[in-house]
mmCIF file of all heavy atoms in Angstrom:
data_model
loop_
_atom_site.group_PDB
_atom_site.id
_atom_site.type_symbol
_atom_site.label_atom_id
_atom_site.label_comp_id
_atom_site.label_asym_id
_atom_site.label_seq_id
_atom_site.Cartn_x
_atom_site.Cartn_y
_atom_site.Cartn_z
ATOM 1 N N LYS Q 136 -8.370 33.391 11.468
ATOM 2 C CA LYS Q 136 -7.744 34.213 10.435
ATOM 3 C C LYS Q 136 -7.159 33.325 9.335
ATOM 4 O O LYS Q 136 -7.271 33.639 8.144
ATOM 5 C CB LYS Q 136 -6.648 35.089 11.059
ATOM 6 C CG LYS Q 136 -6.045 36.101 10.093
ATOM 7 C CD LYS Q 136 -5.098 37.055 10.810
ATOM 8 C CE LYS Q 136 -3.836 36.328 11.231
ATOM 9 N NZ LYS Q 136 -2.814 37.249 11.777
ATOM 10 N N ILE Q 137 -6.567 32.219 9.722
ATOM 11 C CA ILE Q 137 -6.035 31.259 8.741
ATOM 12 C C ILE Q 137 -7.173 30.704 7.893
ATOM 13 O O ILE Q 137 -7.072 30.618 6.668
ATOM 14 C CB ILE Q 137 -5.287 30.112 9.461
ATOM 15 C CG1 ILE Q 137 -4.026 30.648 10.142
ATOM 16 C CG2 ILE Q 137 -4.926 28.991 8.479
ATOM 17 C CD1 ILE Q 137 -3.338 29.647 11.036
ATOM 18 N N TRP Q 138 -8.265 30.353 8.552
ATOM 19 C CA TRP Q 138 -9.409 29.786 7.829
ATOM 20 C C TRP Q 138 -9.955 30.780 6.802
ATOM 21 O O TRP Q 138 -10.301 30.393 5.684
ATOM 22 C CB TRP Q 138 -10.508 29.407 8.811
ATOM 23 C CG TRP Q 138 -10.139 28.331 9.779
ATOM 24 C CD1 TRP Q 138 -9.079 27.471 9.714
ATOM 25 C CD2 TRP Q 138 -10.836 27.982 10.985
ATOM 26 N NE1 TRP Q 138 -9.066 26.619 10.780
ATOM 27 C CE2 TRP Q 138 -10.135 26.903 11.586
ATOM 28 C CE3 TRP Q 138 -11.969 28.473 11.617
ATOM 29 C CZ2 TRP Q 138 -10.545 26.322 12.776
ATOM 30 C CZ3 TRP Q 138 -12.384 27.888 12.808
ATOM 31 C CH2 TRP Q 138 -11.680 26.824 13.383
ATOM 32 N N LYS Q 139 -10.026 32.051 7.198
ATOM 33 C CA LYS Q 139 -10.579 33.065 6.289
ATOM 34 C C LYS Q 139 -9.705 33.253 5.059
ATOM 35 O O LYS Q 139 -10.192 33.629 3.992
ATOM 36 C CB LYS Q 139 -10.737 34.398 7.025
ATOM 37 C CG LYS Q 139 -11.907 34.431 7.984
ATOM 38 C CD LYS Q 139 -11.991 35.765 8.707
ATOM 39 C CE LYS Q 139 -13.150 35.763 9.704
ATOM 40 N NZ LYS Q 139 -13.214 37.037 10.485
ATOM 41 N N ASN Q 140 -8.411 33.008 5.195
ATOM 42 C CA ASN Q 140 -7.485 33.211 4.089
ATOM 43 C C ASN Q 140 -7.275 31.962 3.232
ATOM 44 O O ASN Q 140 -6.454 31.970 2.324
ATOM 45 C CB ASN Q 140 -6.132 33.701 4.622
ATOM 46 C CG ASN Q 140 -6.155 35.158 5.021
ATOM 47 O OD1 ASN Q 140 -6.071 36.054 4.194
ATOM 48 N ND2 ASN Q 140 -6.316 35.414 6.319
ATOM 49 N N THR Q 141 -7.999 30.908 3.554
ATOM 50 C CA THR Q 141 -7.841 29.654 2.809
ATOM 51 C C THR Q 141 -9.181 29.260 2.205
ATOM 52 O O THR Q 141 -10.154 29.052 2.925
ATOM 53 C CB THR Q 141 -7.349 28.522 3.752
ATOM 54 O OG1 THR Q 141 -6.192 28.963 4.443
ATOM 55 C CG2 THR Q 141 -7.018 27.274 2.958
ATOM 56 N N LYS Q 142 -9.222 29.154 0.891
ATOM 57 C CA LYS Q 142 -10.480 28.826 0.217
ATOM 58 C C LYS Q 142 -10.700 27.315 0.139
ATOM 59 O O LYS Q 142 -11.817 26.859 -0.054
ATOM 60 C CB LYS Q 142 -10.489 29.423 -1.199
ATOM 61 C CG LYS Q 142 -10.454 30.944 -1.240
ATOM 62 C CD LYS Q 142 -10.574 31.439 -2.666
ATOM 63 C CE LYS Q 142 -10.508 32.960 -2.725
ATOM 64 N NZ LYS Q 142 -9.164 33.479 -2.433
ATOM 65 N N LYS Q 143 -9.630 26.538 0.283
ATOM 66 C CA LYS Q 143 -9.754 25.090 0.151
ATOM 67 C C LYS Q 143 -10.303 24.463 1.427
ATOM 68 O O LYS Q 143 -10.362 25.088 2.485
ATOM 69 C CB LYS Q 143 -8.394 24.486 -0.205
ATOM 70 C CG LYS Q 143 -7.898 24.929 -1.577
ATOM 71 C CD LYS Q 143 -6.525 24.373 -1.885
ATOM 72 C CE LYS Q 143 -6.033 24.871 -3.240
ATOM 73 N NZ LYS Q 143 -4.655 24.434 -3.514
ATOM 74 N N ASN Q 144 -10.693 23.195 1.318
ATOM 75 C CA ASN Q 144 -11.237 22.486 2.480
ATOM 76 C C ASN Q 144 -10.132 22.160 3.481
ATOM 77 O O ASN Q 144 -9.007 21.798 3.097
ATOM 78 C CB ASN Q 144 -11.921 21.188 2.027
ATOM 79 C CG ASN Q 144 -13.235 21.460 1.321
ATOM 80 O OD1 ASN Q 144 -14.128 22.074 1.883
ATOM 81 N ND2 ASN Q 144 -13.360 21.010 0.081
ATOM 82 N N ILE Q 145 -10.483 22.286 4.748
ATOM 83 C CA ILE Q 145 -9.549 22.006 5.837
ATOM 84 C C ILE Q 145 -10.194 21.019 6.804
ATOM 85 O O ILE Q 145 -11.364 21.157 7.160
ATOM 86 C CB ILE Q 145 -9.191 23.298 6.610
ATOM 87 C CG1 ILE Q 145 -8.447 24.290 5.703
ATOM 88 C CG2 ILE Q 145 -8.354 22.980 7.848
ATOM 89 C CD1 ILE Q 145 -8.235 25.654 6.353
ATOM 90 N N ILE Q 146 -9.414 20.021 7.216
ATOM 91 C CA ILE Q 146 -9.781 19.165 8.347
ATOM 92 C C ILE Q 146 -8.792 19.495 9.459
ATOM 93 O O ILE Q 146 -7.580 19.456 9.243
ATOM 94 C CB ILE Q 146 -9.715 17.673 7.994
ATOM 95 C CG1 ILE Q 146 -10.714 17.318 6.889
ATOM 96 C CG2 ILE Q 146 -9.992 16.815 9.231
ATOM 97 C CD1 ILE Q 146 -10.584 15.887 6.379
ATOM 98 N N GLN Q 147 -9.293 19.837 10.633
ATOM 99 C CA GLN Q 147 -8.412 20.237 11.727
ATOM 100 C C GLN Q 147 -8.867 19.586 13.027
ATOM 101 O O GLN Q 147 -10.060 19.514 13.310
ATOM 102 C CB GLN Q 147 -8.412 21.760 11.870
ATOM 103 C CG GLN Q 147 -7.505 22.279 12.972
ATOM 104 C CD GLN Q 147 -7.335 23.790 12.911
ATOM 105 O OE1 GLN Q 147 -7.232 24.369 11.826
ATOM 106 N NE2 GLN Q 147 -7.283 24.434 14.072
ATOM 107 N N THR Q 148 -7.915 19.120 13.797
ATOM 108 C CA THR Q 148 -8.247 18.579 15.112
ATOM 109 C C THR Q 148 -8.421 19.727 16.104
ATOM 110 O O THR Q 148 -7.776 20.767 15.984
ATOM 111 C CB THR Q 148 -7.147 17.637 15.634
ATOM 112 O OG1 THR Q 148 -5.908 18.358 15.698
ATOM 113 C CG2 THR Q 148 -6.983 16.429 14.726
ATOM 114 N N THR Q 149 -9.298 19.530 17.066
ATOM 115 C CA THR Q 149 -9.395 20.494 18.159
ATOM 116 C C THR Q 149 -8.154 20.354 19.034
ATOM 117 O O THR Q 149 -7.392 19.386 18.916
ATOM 118 C CB THR Q 149 -10.652 20.231 19.004
ATOM 119 O OG1 THR Q 149 -10.623 18.871 19.473
ATOM 120 C CG2 THR Q 149 -11.911 20.474 18.196
ATOM 121 N N PHE Q 150 -7.954 21.321 19.903
ATOM 122 C CA PHE Q 150 -6.806 21.241 20.799
ATOM 123 C C PHE Q 150 -7.019 20.099 21.795
ATOM 124 O O PHE Q 150 -8.101 19.940 22.369
ATOM 125 C CB PHE Q 150 -6.605 22.566 21.524
ATOM 126 C CG PHE Q 150 -6.030 23.633 20.633
ATOM 127 C CD1 PHE Q 150 -6.853 24.597 20.070
ATOM 128 C CD2 PHE Q 150 -4.670 23.647 20.327
ATOM 129 C CE1 PHE Q 150 -6.340 25.568 19.230
ATOM 130 C CE2 PHE Q 150 -4.154 24.612 19.491
ATOM 131 C CZ PHE Q 150 -4.971 25.576 18.929
#
Side-chain angles (χ1 to χ4, degrees):
K136 187 173 71 173
I137 293 172
W138 296 345
K139 285 179 182 177
N140 284 281
T141 308
K142 296 184 181 71
K143 295 177 182 175
N144 287 302
I145 296 172
I146 297 173
Q147 181 169 321
T148 58
T149 56
F150 286 100

